[in-house]
Amino acid sequence: MHRTFEKLISECEHIAFDLQFSHAKAWKRASSERFLAGYLPIYIPREVIHAMGGLPVGIMGTGDRMQIIKGDAYYQSYICHLPRGVVELAMSGAFAEFDAFIFPSICDVIRNLSGMFQIFKPDVFVKYLDLPQNFLPSVGGAYYRREIETTVEGILSHRSTVPFENEVWVERLNHSIRLYNENRALIERIVTIRQEYPWRVSAVDWYNVLRSGLAMPVEEHNNILYELEAYLQDDRGRPLDNIRVVISGAFCEQPPVGLIKTIELAGCYIVDDDFMLGSRWIEGDIAEDTSDPLGAIVDAYLQHSTFSASLYEAAPASGTKVERLASLVKSRKADGVIFAAPSFCDPALLDRPELQLGLERAGVRTIGFQYSENTGQFKVIKEEVGAFSDSIKLWGSGADGSEPDSHMWLPTVIEDLTAIA
Ligand code: SF4
């Protein structure tokens, strides 16, 4: 018998925010051959860990659910909050049963954190996974393949296990790719349902479901997504006179749940976002029945990964980040974009001016603010977002091709004045 909708969401919330990772640890204890590989935002090829018999566990920070004391001692004040929480977790023993940690290249903070973990956890495999910024198969592709192979070799050697025979490995990796393809397809189907009927599942409930997938086996998460999809086939909830927005910039340190709720309460349906970007990094399927599944994972990264501030401009064929964000806004029929970035997040904040200017020129209304994962006061943000929502309801989004209203963003004003001078 299926769970009720409410039970499904509450179970997901519990797993998503369990800072002891009890669900993942219980999974591991069922067999001595299993292992846990923690990973930081944004993206790692989880298929490879799964094929090795492990569980990739996303470490997304502590949010507003843990008091940070020791973690603060490791960082200067002008650094984002995420690594403080991760250090606090490490110091409190939350990662006691983890066998490996993977730190994908995203910024200097994450890179330095990988160095700290090498000191904290000398008996555990720690890998700084340097994702390529070059999208040529012969350069970035060859390099990325070697990075993944090194990761596999490192985990094997730390666990003193031998690699699978090639035939078995190919079959296992293809199987894992199939499961993650299914996972991504389900996520995209639900996002598409939410685009049309965002009131059927709130942004917070959807966030809980999506985030829980980082701490459980993909097979289990797929079942949850099927259950949720079935619930969303029927109308539920009540449509409100909200505008539709895309959230951009929250791909690493996650906003507190209260902030997501505040955006909705202020009159916005979040029809797309980059909260759990790693789960959606590869757009579409990875080839799932090849004799070289590792090559298929590398090809997918090079050819159809999403855009992010952690990357330089993606492959030119896919368009610039501004073009891709504008295209996402259009395809989701959004009225505007909310740039929400963690304080002191270099990648998100460095990209924001270009993205905001580009969207403004494309006639897309935007607003921006910063947060910290433990922000507790949302009054000011609620007023700002509420005013943004009201202004679009009153004067339109400009999405119909009409000129956006007379709102001028400061860089545009400066640029225009410079041109006149
Ligand atoms: S929030 Fe930004 S600055 Fe902080 S670790 Fe993540 S990407 Fe780096």
Side-chain angles (χ1 to χ4, degrees), residues 80 82-83 106-107 109-110 251-253 342 344-347:
C80 63
L82 174 111
I106 171 170
C107 70
V109 175
I110 296 285
F251 45 82
C252 182
E253 179 178 319
F344 301 111
C345 176
D346 281 356

Side-chain angles (χ1 to χ4, degrees), residues 101-352:
F101 294 94
I102 300 171
F103 295 79
S105 56
I106 171 170
C107 70
D108 288 349
V109 175
I110 296 285
R111 185 182 56 190
N112 295 344
L113 192 58
S114 73
M116 288 187 187
F117 265 63
Q118 285 175 16
I119 298 168
F120 294 156
K121 302 265 177 198
D123 302 331
V124 171
F125 176 67
V126 176
K127 168 76 178 169
Y128 178 67
L129 181 67
D130 209 353
L131 297 161
Q133 298 282 357
N134 177 301
F135 291 82
L136 293 172
S138 58
V139 183
Y143 173 77
Y144 185 36
R145 187 184 184 103
R146 189 66 206 128
E147 277 290 279
I148 300 176
E149 285 169 349
T150 312
T151 307
V152 172
E153 287 160 13
I155 293 174
L156 287 172
S157 115
H158 267 72
R159 301 192 69 239
S160 305
T161 46
V162 290
F164 294 108
E165 295 289 330
N166 187 51
E167 212 173 293
V168 176
W169 174 241
V170 166
E171 179 45 43
R172 288 180 71 102
L173 195 46
N174 273 326
H175 174 65
S176 302
I177 289 173
R178 266 179 232 122
L179 289 169
Y180 279 97
N181 279 345
E182 195 179 355
N183 191 262
R184 282 184 290 267
L186 279 159
I187 289 170
E188 289 316 310
R189 291 212 295 271
I190 294 173
V191 170
T192 300
I193 294 173
R194 286 201 75 253
Q195 176 195 332
E196 289 296 319
Y197 312 103
W199 53 88
R200 289 187 183 177
V201 56
S202 72
V204 170
D205 288 349
W206 171 229
Y207 178 79
N208 287 331
V209 172
L210 202 47
R211 183 162 172 162
S212 70
L214 273 56
M216 67 173 69
V218 63
E219 296 89 337
E220 191 181 340
H221 196 232
N222 285 349
N223 288 338
I224 286 174
L225 293 173
Y226 277 119
E227 272 186 63
L228 179 64
E229 187 185 29
Y231 275 120
L232 299 186
Q233 298 303 323
D234 298 327
D235 214 2
R236 49 187 304 115
R238 189 167 52 91
L240 299 172
D241 181 27
N242 284 359
I243 63 162
R244 292 157 187 266
V245 296
V246 169
I247 307 273
S248 177
F251 45 82
C252 182
E253 179 178 319
Q254 297 293 288
V257 167
L259 177 54
I260 302 174
K261 202 176 283 180
T262 297
I263 292 172
E264 283 203 312
L265 289 175
C268 299
Y269 282 131
I270 301 170
V271 290
D272 212 330
D273 56 69
D274 54 8
F275 296 149
M276 289 290 131
L277 195 57
S279 306
R280 305 171 66 193
W281 188 268
I282 301 297
E283 297 181 328
D285 284 351
I286 300 176
E288 57 186 32
D289 196 15
T290 73
S291 56
D292 179 20
L294 193 51
I297 289 172
V298 171
D299 285 349
Y301 178 89
L302 298 181
Q303 291 164 18
H304 47 102
S305 46
T306 188
F307 60 100
S308 161
S310 67
L311 295 177
Y312 297 117
E313 288 294 2
S318 324
T320 64
K321 289 179 210 174
V322 172
E323 287 165 349
R324 293 183 76 178
L325 184 53
S327 155
L328 179 67
V329 170
K330 195 171 173 196
S331 67
R332 292 289 177 215
K333 299 189 179 110
D335 299 302
V337 172
I338 295 180
F339 288 99
S343 299
F344 301 111
C345 176
D346 281 356
L349 293 171
L350 284 171
D351 262 18
R352 186 193 281 186

